[in-house]
Amino acid sequence: MSIAEDEAKERFKGMYQDDMREVYVLGRTAPPAAAEIEAVAKRLLWRSCRKWDGIESDCAAKDEDDAWNYAGEIPGFHKEYIRQAKEMLEIARKAVNE
């Protein structure tokens, strides 16, 4: 049984709602949506703003969105963080399917 199936059983424990369990598993194992990918990319970028080459930085960005907007001015920056986010989410999805 997969992690997603175990989670569904626990979440709907004592309920005879197989449809809800099935829908939960489908949602949990579905490919990540664009909004999920961007949210992870923004967090990765925000966390990387705090240190550059191991040195604490005074990142001028106020928050994740501000950092994301600023990084958009640098060619290829968004693309790389989105690639990393997709990879991380694929790894997580694969883990819940095992």
Side-chain angles (χ1 to χ4, degrees):
M1 195 171 297
S2 72
I3 291 171
E5 290 168 329
D6 289 342
E7 288 174 348
K9 270 189 164 181
E10 185 62 33
R11 179 169 280 243
F12 301 107
K13 198 174 197 170
M15 296 181 191
Y16 295 102
Q17 298 179 356
D18 291 334
D19 288 345
M20 289 181 76
R21 287 182 183 174
E22 184 178 342
V23 169
Y24 177 85
V25 171
L26 288 173
R28 188 74 167 91
T29 59
E36 286 179 280
I37 293 167
E38 187 173 303
V40 172
K42 284 180 178 181
R43 178 56 59 98
L44 288 171
L45 173 64
W46 178 242
R47 290 187 154 283
S48 73
C49 281
R50 296 188 180 158
K51 281 190 178 184
W52 295 94
D53 295 327
I55 300 169
E56 287 292 331
S57 172
D58 239 357
C59 186
K62 300 177 296 219
D63 56 25
E64 288 178 11
D65 288 329
D66 193 34
W68 188 250
N69 292 338
Y70 177 74
E73 298 174 16
I74 303 167
F77 233 67
H78 279 182
K79 187 176 179 180
E80 176 57 21
Y81 279 96
I82 286 173
R83 184 198 64 74
Q84 290 177 38
K86 282 181 181 178
E87 184 178 313
M88 292 178 78
L89 287 165
E90 286 172 12
I91 291 166
R93 293 301 200 279
K94 183 180 177 191
V96 298
N97 280 314
E98 293 178 348

